Amino acid sequence: MFDGHDQAIAVLLREAGLLTPEALAALGEECRLTGWSLAGTAVKRGHVSGPELLRRVAGHLGLDYVENPPATVSVGVAALVPADLARRCGVVPWRADGRLLEVLAVDPFKRETAGELAFTLGRDVRLVVADPVRVGLLLRLHYGDPEAAVTAENPAGGFAEAELARMAGQVPVVRFVNRVLGQAVRDHASDIHFEPFEDEFRVRCRVDGTLRDVEPPPASLARPVISRLKVLAGLNIAECRVPQDGRLRFAVDGRTVDLRISTLPTQSGESVVLRVLDHSAAPLELAQLGLSGSVADGLREVIRQPNGIILVTGPTGSGKTTTLYSCLRIINRPERKILTAEDPVEYEIEGVMQLPVNPLIGLTFATALRSFLRQDPDVLMVGEIRDLETARIAIQAALTGHLVLSTLHTNDAAGAVTRLIDMGVEPYLIGATLEAVLAQRLVRCICPDCREPDAPPAALLADAGLVPGQMDGACYQRGRGCANCRQTGYRGRTGLFEWLRMDEPLRELVQQRAPAAAIKARAVERGMQTLRTAGWRAVSAGQTTLEELARCT
């Protein structure tokens, strides 16, 4: 009786005064030796009657108790729950009243059962406590052996492919996946996370750079939902031991959205992350990215040069690839041949030859660049310079008359120079080919529908690196929180940029292997606006908040 719930039963018996701690300890030792459950042992030894224990379990769980369940239920009531679902959940429908369905449960301690049934059946479900032996007999009578639910599993303990495909095609699962993906696209989410844990199935969307919880299905439906996603992406649904990657297309409001899928096996099941690649939502114009006039003008000037290297730097998720796409759209002309190597290709640009790299077959950024040079290109874009080989080929391309655009992961613009030197690139080659570096961050904008004046405390001003009087006259604003921003106070994002244009004094510092701090200081002397300064200006203009500035810079 109630195997696997000995601890809960022990608490219940002790709090009811039915057993002393000493008697409980003795029963526990007996259970350890015999393998019986604590509930069954307590009943067998006469410490409590079966009905009394069941009545107390029901009271403990806040459920109704039926002492004498019927020997059978009507065919119409039994048909309310599909056989495979009834066997898997260990329930028998007992009474239906409008939208409410009451079910006798073999294991009422599994409270998630009601959630799974409600999700699958589309109606309210209430568990009812009854003698688990009687419920088991009813289950066999109306639905067959409960163990039959396990026959679809393979020897390794996972579901067979046919069973997974069937689960993935269930209407509630399909409906849930469609709803989550559709709402995520409408909310302009960049990523969707499906995360299984032991007792819950967490679903979150990254909107404006932060994760938001989505109302999840019951934890028991994690495998069907994840199988549904893998089916859509054409992945092997029976393989859950190794990571898998793929792509899928999803129609939302009359338009098609690409999603990149990545699976990761964890202790509690497969975690899945979808990257949303919504072409219609991508701001591919420089003005939409938030570039100020001088930075945008400088970038437009340098990308029209015939040769050299232009780098965009920043952490993951700072919009580097979007900026590069915006640059390619500006210079994409019939008289120019443009080749890109990306991991993966996020947006297709008409007239641009785009190559997805695949390290598993030896197609890396370096091998792609080497092949590009034999394709008579004018402009090359490489998704990221990750190693010395890629850096050297990019420099070779720039020296032989090609314009090269790429990204690096550095904290600021000056750090790109020292990063290349750390890779092993000779400083004189960097000085000869590097034309400009654009460092960037994305910060959340204050919601326009609930913005209101704000007076930040002195401690927050200090954390943002401000001294008294530095921001006098600033228009501090905050978002109060409303339905349009989901009570966050923020809606949408804008960019902060640090534009480093190489000139002779800076090239001399590079060739002298000067540290990044010295290069940055010289660039500031020559008029460069730092990321922090750009953030202060955005705060002063009422675009974002000091809290957001501190988070991102």
Side-chain angles (χ1 to χ4, degrees):
M1 180 185 286
F2 302 137
D3 291 346
H5 299 292
D6 284 0
Q7 186 174 0
I9 295 295
V11 171
L12 190 152
L13 292 174
R14 185 176 63 250
E15 291 181 348
L18 296 173
L19 285 175
T20 64
E22 293 77 13
L24 272 175
L27 279 183
E29 179 63 19
E30 182 177 354
C31 292
R32 187 183 68 80
L33 295 173
T34 63
W36 296 346
S37 69
L38 181 61
T41 304
V43 172
K44 288 176 184 294
R45 297 292 174 248
H47 294 289
V48 62
S49 69
E52 174 66 15
L53 179 60
L54 291 170
R55 189 176 293 107
R56 291 188 178 275
V57 166
H60 176 74
L61 298 175
L63 302 175
D64 291 338
Y65 167 59
V66 177
E67 184 170 357
N68 295 304
T72 183
V73 297
S74 70
V75 175
V77 171
L80 294 175
V81 180
D84 60 335
L85 182 63
R87 289 194 300 262
R88 186 169 73 249
C89 294
V91 298
V92 176
W94 177 50
R95 187 166 56 193
D97 183 9
R99 283 185 51 82
L100 177 63
L101 178 66
E102 293 184 332
V103 297
L104 306 175
V106 172
D107 187 354
F109 285 94
K110 294 174 61 177
R111 304 302 295 272
E112 67 272 13
T113 298
E116 178 176 353
L117 290 167
F119 178 85
T120 306
L121 301 176
R123 60 193 305 166
D124 299 328
V125 174
R126 181 186 299 161
L127 300 186
V128 176
V129 177
D131 183 348
V133 175
R134 298 276 296 275
V135 178
L137 291 174
L138 279 171
L139 195 58
R140 288 180 174 85
L141 175 65
H142 291 283
Y143 303 111
D145 190 348
E147 297 299 320
V150 185
T151 60
E153 298 185 7
N154 60 38
F159 287 98
E161 186 171 355
E163 174 65 7
L164 287 172
R166 187 196 62 78
M167 294 163 62
Q170 291 178 337
V171 172
V173 173
V174 173
R175 187 185 299 122
F176 173 78
V177 170
N178 290 348
R179 178 169 60 82
V180 170
L181 299 189
Q183 191 59 50
V185 171
R186 295 185 190 98
D187 290 343
H188 304 297
S190 61
D191 303 270
I192 313 168
H193 297 246
F194 296 84
E195 302 165 321
F197 295 94
E198 183 176 356
D199 299 318
E200 66 172 330
F201 181 33
R202 195 174 189 185
V203 181
R204 298 188 289 174
C205 293
R206 188 177 296 279
V207 180
D208 294 338
T210 59
L211 287 170
R212 301 177 182 175
D213 283 316
V214 175
E215 184 177 354
S220 57
L221 290 185
R223 190 70 189 271
V225 168
I226 289 172
S227 295
R228 175 64 182 171
L229 295 170
K230 293 169 72 173
V231 166
L232 292 174
L235 302 181
N236 183 351
I237 60 175
E239 178 57 76
C240 59
R241 300 164 298 176
V242 297
Q244 296 185 67
D245 295 296
R247 293 180 74 122
L248 62 109
R249 290 194 165 184
F250 187 77
V252 180
D253 300 335
R255 71 180 191 274
T256 301
V257 177
D258 288 330
L259 299 107
R260 188 177 74 202
I261 182 172
S262 172
T263 74
L264 182 70
T266 71
Q267 185 176 1
S268 301
E270 284 184 287
S271 172
V272 171
V273 175
L274 299 174
R275 168 63 58 88
V276 182
L277 307 175
D278 187 357
H279 301 249
S280 63
L284 295 181
E285 300 294 336
L286 293 184
Q288 294 177 272
L289 300 178
L291 274 82
S292 64
S294 60
V295 175
D297 291 343
L299 185 57
R300 287 191 183 94
E301 177 188 352
V302 77
I303 62 177
R304 289 190 170 95
Q305 295 185 174
N307 58 277
I309 297 177
I310 303 166
L311 296 175
V312 180
T313 75
T316 300
S318 59
K320 300 185 297 296
T321 303
T322 301
T323 299
L324 290 181
Y325 279 133
S326 301
C327 293
L328 291 181
R329 286 185 52 148
I330 293 174
I331 61 178
N332 184 18
R333 297 291 180 268
E335 64 272 14
R336 281 187 166 181
K337 179 161 186 173
I338 302 176
L339 297 172
T340 74
E342 307 173 52
D343 184 18
V345 174
E346 294 192 6
Y347 302 104
E348 296 178 5
I349 304 178
E350 186 176 356
V352 175
M353 306 294 292
Q354 297 173 267
L355 172 68
V357 300
N358 187 350
L360 295 178
I361 61 173
L363 183 55
T364 63
F365 284 128
T367 54
L369 273 180
R370 193 177 293 111
S371 298
F372 283 177
L373 294 178
R374 296 191 288 270
Q375 291 284 314
D376 188 30
D378 297 294
V379 180
L380 305 175
M381 187 191 95
V382 55
E384 182 184 349
I385 295 179
R386 297 175 177 172
D387 50 50
L388 178 59
E389 184 182 10
T390 306
R392 282 177 171 167
I393 300 172
I395 287 173
Q396 177 188 348
L399 289 173
T400 53
H402 303 86
L403 182 66
V404 181
L405 287 73
S406 189
T407 72
L408 279 177
H409 283 86
T410 63
N411 291 328
D412 57 14
V417 174
T418 53
R419 177 77 181 97
L420 291 173
I421 293 176
D422 290 343
M423 283 184 186
V425 180
E426 292 296 332
Y428 76 91
L429 291 174
I430 299 173
T433 57
L434 185 61
E435 293 296 330
V437 183
L438 181 70
Q440 65 182 65
R441 298 288 190 278
L442 290 176
V443 295
R444 291 180 293 172
C445 297
I446 298 171
C447 175
D449 297 315
C450 63
R451 66 168 56 246
E452 62 184 16
D454 188 29
L460 184 58
L461 294 172
D463 289 343
L466 297 169
V467 297
Q470 184 174 349
M471 294 276 283
D472 287 348
C475 178
Y476 293 115
Q477 301 275 309
R478 64 182 290 270
R480 183 178 61 257
C482 64
N484 292 329
C485 64
R486 295 178 180 257
Q487 306 302 323
T488 63
Y490 297 97
R491 198 170 76 200
R493 289 193 290 178
T494 189
L496 303 180
F497 300 94
E498 183 177 282
W499 175 243
L500 175 62
R501 183 71 166 89
M502 296 298 292
D503 56 18
E504 287 309 313
L506 290 176
R507 295 183 198 278
E508 290 178 8
L509 285 177
V510 172
Q511 294 187 22
Q512 295 168 11
R513 294 180 180 267
I519 296 174
K520 183 174 184 176
R522 179 65 63 88
V524 170
E525 290 175 4
R526 302 181 68 80
M528 183 185 79
Q529 174 183 268
T530 65
L531 284 168
R532 182 58 64 91
T533 302
W536 290 338
R537 292 185 176 180
V539 171
S540 180
Q543 288 182 294
T544 189
T545 63
L546 287 174
E547 292 92 341
E548 185 68 3
L549 178 60
R551 184 181 72 88
C552 295
T553 63

